[in-house]
Amino acid sequence: MTTEAGTTVPTPRADHRPAPWVRTRLRATPLAALLMAALAFVTVFLAAAFPRLSDRSTDSALREFTRRIGVNATSLEAVAQAAPTEAAADLRATRDRLVGEIGPNLRLSQDGQVHGIRVKQDRGMWNKGYARLSEDSPPVLGLLYLNGLTEHAALTAGSWPAAGAGPVQIAVSAESAATIGIKLGDVVDGGNLGTGPITATVVGLYRVDDPQDPLWENLGCPVRACLDGTPSKLHWRTTGFVAGDALPQLLSWGGGGQDFWRLPVDTGALRADQLDRTRDTVASYLAGRGAGTLARVTNRADLHVVSQLPDVLQRARARQQAVAPLSAIGPVGVAGVATVVLCLAAALSADRRTGEIRLLRARGGSRGGVLLRLLGEGAVTVLPAAALATALALVLLPTPRWGNAVLAALAATLLALLAFPARAALLRSRPRAAGGRRRLVGELAVLAVTAAAVAEVRRRGVAASGADLDPLLVLAPLLLALSGGLVLARVQPLLVGRFAALAGRGRGLIGFLGLARAARDNSGRRRPSVLPLLALLIAVSTTGFGATVLDTVDHARTRAARLATGGDAAVTVPIYATLPEAFTKAAGELPGVDAATGLWVEPTALFIGGDGDTTKAVLVVAEPTAYAEIARSLGAGAFDPAKLAGTPGGPDTPVPALFSRDLAKRLATGPARVRTPNGGQLRTTVAGTIARTPALPDPGQPFVVVPAGPAAERLPELKRTNKWIATGDIDPGQLRGLVAEHGLTAATGMAKLIGDVAQAAGKSSDGLPPGYAVHSSREAAAALADDPLQRAAGSMFWYAGLAGGGFALLAVLLTLLRAAPDRTALLARLRTMGLRPRQGLALIVAETLPQTLAAAVGGGLVALAAVALIGSAFDLSALVGAKVAETLEPVVTPVLLPTAGLALVVCLGVLLETAISGRRQIATELRAGEQA
């Protein structure tokens, strides 16, 4: 085609189509598209992973908590009156109906599932030759029918019981028979009833396959003979089993019986998000519509279900609710940092493509059309990466629920997809001055919302037990970090500008240029970007807050363990025993002991006030100086030992005493006395009142502390020691060895018998007899910390800290990339004027590090402020493992360490990026035009 002027214009081909916009743009900038996809992948993966991690940890903690409690506490036990005419088949049929009704609503476990008939009353075995602990305390036999006994026990002699005429046939454990003296073939004399003598024939001896099998819980003494009764009147007790077709004879032995069906709940199937529904389901079977349904389907009107499971689930629920706010703060902080990074990446892309977008608008492109094309670019890069990240999080972190993870991933995907188009929509065809007034109004609004949130959290105080997660409590630290970042963004340019002015007075140029550029943005205005500062500050403050929580929990746990122990180590013996003086002297000389003393603790003393009324109280007889040092070290009832300095005197001379506060009001009525169980009395004078004392772990007990010397002069019976406590770095193994060395483990008589039985049952305490114990605060703290719920909360803090630190580093790197063109041009011009390469790198560092250091310092201060302002609203008891009164208080050390670590990582990242890309960018700028 030729025009009138003679110019030839190509004729468009009929099949020609414009190149697709998205494909053209992605081919033009493949690295930028790849980096955006990688950023979207990481962000969406973390968004989906944190809810999954939280769900997995809470489920795991719930299952471990219920597993440790045991089968008996996590079972439903149905009971009904036993009928003489029923058979074993009737019990099995009832069991099947119960399982069929309960199973669809509540998953049951086969382990520990059992049913049978137990007698209402055990009977004494009056046979001569059977072991007796006292003349009038014969061994006791309880009979039981247990379905499936032969599957869990093996005969060692005789045969399994069967039905027949005469005495009921029974089988007892071989261990019980050896302890009591039962022989195979014995006819056990159970005494007389109105209808005649009651007897049973021992036809078999058995041995259980696994004594720790939950099947044997709450079934009497089927494994070995047990000690039963009061301490002053103990007797042996064992359980015998009968055949399923001998139920009438079984009922005659115990004056009737009770059918029972124990149905353990499968704790491995419990879910934290279904605790309320599970508790309601169990409660329905205990007293509700479910209970009526069970009675109807089993045709047993008297059937009822008992269980401790509702209380167990309620405790688990309270633990989760107490830990939830502390566990959620870290992920919320990561979400805030990730949002800032995505907005920063969008700003970087908008800066890079501002000219292109304005050109499109100038050539007639509509704003909607341009934004749709930008949205299409983002969809191609973001959506596949987001879908892959979500799928990977769901696969790598399996858990039954996926809703929260998918919603979080969807929110992160939308943010990654819309951040750049939204930023591009704010661009105008012509540059326009920034709206400083709008920024000020927005910042004031954020500050007002933060102040209101903090005030409301402080007004509420600690959340009530059983309350749901308080979003305001979780968002308050993030709002404080956001407000701190906005304030710091206003202050930083002024401070850095002042430092730049000071640096300008010197001879060096690098410091002045770097600080001057740090105080300005790329256009030269005193308004550097707020986003990088916010990302760094949120990451630092969130990590610092979490580190403070974990540090406070560790200290509170240690203090709780020391208070429960009475020091760092303690040795106790029963009230009838005495610690020898040689032991207390040798124990006080162990390595690591700072202070130690022996005590006499009388738990059954009586406090007699001036009005004559008596109150049960614990009498503590202690050496004042050492005891005061231990009390001061523990922070438990510190006192001046001089106040307990008594004077010699006779029985009527009063001794100075420290009283618990609950006894203080009784002291106003007149002189008080303390009476021992043997009838001795001590007249006392008031030396002071204290809230608690090291000798008593339970602060709720009334107590009286008197000096050992004067008290023993008046009552010689108090010149004994039954407890030793000490503070210091004491090895519990050495202390136990010292206990054995002094013969305290060699119990005799009844104590030895009780100890042997406890050891056989796996309930002994380090080989010590019952009542003897060696305690260590180190071991007590480890036991408190052995909780998966606490470990999960701590892990969530550190995961969030690492993720927040990574995003903060990325924010700094993006800031470097955003300023790279202007900085490179400046460095290239300076190189032409004689700037050396090392000076150029130093200039980049001087420009970047002020913001990093300011964010680190500001984040640490914000973390301390957040702890001071809202720390009292958190209940740390669930994380500690014991009820504590400690609250979060500002502490520099736990904030300083993660803050310095994060600042160091960011600084190293800046140096590495500068060393790798700085030289190349400068060289590229200097060679511009060589190939033209």
Side-chain angles (χ1 to χ4, degrees), residues 12-341:
R13 293 171 51 187
D15 59 345
H16 173 73
R17 294 182 181 179
W21 171 273
V22 174
R23 186 182 67 185
T24 303
R25 290 303 311 161
L26 294 181
R27 285 182 175 180
T29 56
L31 181 60
L34 183 61
L35 291 178
M36 187 60 207
L39 178 59
F41 178 85
V42 173
T43 305
V44 174
F45 178 80
L46 291 177
F50 272 111
R52 305 281 284 184
L53 283 172
S54 177
D55 292 342
R56 285 166 58 86
S57 62
T58 53
D59 285 348
S60 175
L62 171 63
R63 292 161 186 171
E64 180 66 15
F65 174 71
T66 52
R67 184 191 64 79
R68 291 181 180 182
I69 289 179
V71 171
N72 191 43
T74 56
S75 298
L76 302 180
E77 183 169 344
V79 295
Q81 182 72 25
T85 58
E86 66 184 354
D90 299 328
L91 297 177
R92 287 194 295 271
T94 302
R95 188 276 312 273
D96 294 340
R97 296 189 189 100
L98 290 172
V99 172
E101 180 62 32
I102 298 175
N105 303 318
L106 199 63
R107 184 170 169 180
L108 302 176
S109 172
Q110 293 296 325
D111 294 336
Q113 191 173 123
V114 66
H115 69 270
I117 302 178
R118 63 168 67 95
V119 295
K120 289 183 177 180
Q121 182 179 358
D122 298 344
R123 302 193 65 82
M125 296 185 289
W126 297 95
N127 300 56
K128 293 182 179 180
Y130 286 179
R132 297 191 183 191
L133 302 180
S134 62
E135 185 61 29
D136 57 344
S137 299
V140 169
L141 173 67
L143 295 188
L144 184 72
Y145 162 67
L146 188 70
N147 180 72
L149 172 65
T150 59
E151 300 173 5
H152 299 85
L155 279 173
T156 60
S159 61
W160 290 112
V168 60
Q169 296 183 11
I170 66 172
V172 297
S173 72
E175 293 187 40
S176 297
T179 301
I180 299 175
I182 302 174
K183 303 293 190 298
L184 191 66
D186 280 0
V187 177
V188 178
D189 180 8
N192 283 291
L193 287 177
T195 56
I198 302 298
T199 58
T201 302
V202 180
V203 298
L205 302 179
Y206 66 86
R207 173 184 50 80
V208 300
D209 297 336
D210 181 9
Q212 304 303 320
D213 192 329
L215 173 82
W216 308 111
E217 289 189 21
N218 201 31
L219 293 179
C221 301
V223 178
R224 61 182 60 86
C226 310
L227 285 172
D228 200 6
T230 62
S232 60
K233 193 174 182 180
L234 292 174
H235 60 266
W236 291 110
R237 178 181 176 221
T238 189
T239 298
F241 292 99
V242 305
D245 48 1
L247 300 185
Q249 295 169 298
L250 168 70
L251 300 181
S252 64
W253 174 273
Q258 185 184 62
D259 298 338
F260 68 92
W261 299 265
R262 188 173 68 199
L263 306 175
V265 174
D266 186 2
T267 57
L270 294 177
R271 290 171 48 178
D273 62 321
Q274 296 180 350
L275 270 180
D276 293 338
R277 186 173 69 181
T278 303
R279 188 174 64 247
D280 293 342
T281 301
V282 174
S284 174
Y285 292 126
L286 303 186
R289 180 178 300 177
T293 302
L294 294 180
R296 184 177 65 256
V297 299
T298 58
N299 295 320
R300 290 174 176 263
D302 62 335
L303 184 139
H304 66 280
V305 179
V306 294
S307 178
Q308 304 174 35
L309 192 55
D311 294 336
V312 171
L313 297 180
Q314 181 60 37
R315 288 164 53 194
R317 174 69 169 166
R319 283 159 41 89
Q320 291 176 5
Q321 289 172 332
V323 172
L326 297 170
S327 300
I329 288 176
V332 168
V334 175
V337 181
T339 300
V340 173
V341 169

Side-chain angles (χ1 to χ4, degrees), residues 55 120 124 144 267 506 529 604 617 652 759 800 885 908:
D55 292 342
K120 289 183 177 180
L144 184 72
T267 57
S529 176
T604 57
D652 294 333
Q759 185 174 5
L908 290 177

Side-chain angles (χ1 to χ4, degrees), residues 214 294 510 542 558 586 611 657 689 785 812 914:
L294 294 180
I510 302 301
T542 303
T558 300
D611 53 3
T689 58
V812 173
T914 302

Side-chain angles (χ1 to χ4, degrees), residues 416-805:
L417 183 63
L418 299 178
F420 175 47
R423 179 67 178 85
L426 299 178
L427 295 177
R428 299 289 189 264
S429 58
R430 296 180 180 178
R432 193 178 66 172
R437 182 177 300 177
R438 287 182 301 170
R439 177 186 175 185
L440 179 61
V441 171
E443 291 174 350
L444 291 177
V446 172
L447 292 175
V449 171
T450 303
V454 171
E456 180 65 14
V457 169
R458 290 178 61 85
R459 184 189 66 81
R460 296 178 186 176
V462 178
S465 177
D468 291 329
L469 179 65
D470 186 356
L472 193 60
L473 190 63
V474 175
L475 291 175
L478 182 62
L479 290 174
L480 284 170
L482 180 60
S483 299
L486 295 177
V487 172
L488 187 59
R490 288 282 184 177
V491 174
Q492 181 199 355
L494 301 178
L495 294 178
V496 177
R498 179 59 179 167
F499 284 123
L502 294 176
R505 299 176 183 177
R507 295 182 178 180
L509 183 64
I510 302 301
F512 169 72
L513 285 178
L515 293 174
R517 287 179 57 82
R520 304 170 184 269
D521 67 355
N522 296 338
S523 61
R525 292 187 298 269
R526 289 184 176 274
R527 189 175 59 83
S529 176
V530 181
L531 294 178
L533 191 66
L534 280 180
L536 282 169
L537 193 138
I538 292 174
V540 171
S541 60
T542 303
T543 306
F545 189 91
T548 303
V549 171
L550 297 181
D551 181 77
T552 305
V553 166
D554 287 340
H555 283 83
R557 186 182 293 125
T558 300
R559 172 172 162 76
R562 297 186 75 202
L563 289 175
T565 304
D568 293 306
V571 178
T572 59
V573 297
I575 192 66
Y576 55 81
T578 301
L579 284 171
E581 184 177 352
F583 167 79
T584 58
K585 181 179 179 182
E589 297 173 352
L590 285 174
V593 173
D594 294 334
T597 185
L599 309 171
W600 174 255
V601 181
E602 174 55 67
T604 57
L606 286 179
F607 169 84
I608 305 174
D611 53 3
D613 290 341
T614 60
T615 302
K616 290 184 179 180
V618 179
L619 175 63
V620 179
V621 183
E623 193 281 315
T625 303
Y627 194 67
E629 175 62 21
I630 294 174
R632 183 199 61 78
S633 176
L634 293 180
F639 63 94
D640 183 1
K643 293 183 177 181
L644 288 184
T647 57
D652 294 333
T653 304
V655 296
L658 298 173
F659 296 89
S660 58
R661 291 179 179 175
D662 47 0
L663 296 178
K665 58 184 179 182
R666 302 277 305 280
L667 300 175
T669 59
R673 295 169 293 159
V674 179
R675 179 184 298 168
T676 66
N678 294 333
Q681 291 192 15
L682 281 177
R683 297 173 60 85
T684 62
T685 59
V686 180
T689 58
I690 52 180
R692 63 190 309 164
T693 192
L696 298 179
D698 182 9
Q701 293 179 278
F703 61 84
V704 181
V705 181
V706 297
E713 289 178 357
R714 286 141 179 88
L715 284 180
E717 67 177 276
L718 300 182
K719 196 176 182 179
R720 297 169 58 191
T721 302
N722 62 355
K723 187 169 187 175
W724 177 86
I725 58 176
T727 58
D729 187 12
I730 305 169
D731 184 2
Q734 289 185 340
L735 187 58
R736 291 189 177 95
L738 192 64
V739 169
E741 180 182 335
H742 283 76
L744 297 180
T745 60
T748 59
M750 186 63 68
K752 182 178 186 305
L753 181 62
I754 296 174
D756 292 342
V757 172
Q759 185 174 5
K763 299 179 181 178
S764 62
S765 176
D766 301 308
L768 298 178
Y772 291 74
V774 175
H775 304 282
S776 168
S777 64
R778 187 190 309 172
E779 296 174 343
L784 290 176
D786 186 22
D787 186 344
L789 193 64
Q790 301 173 28
R791 293 195 298 270
S795 299
M796 192 67 71
F797 269 126
W798 292 121
Y799 292 155
L802 291 175

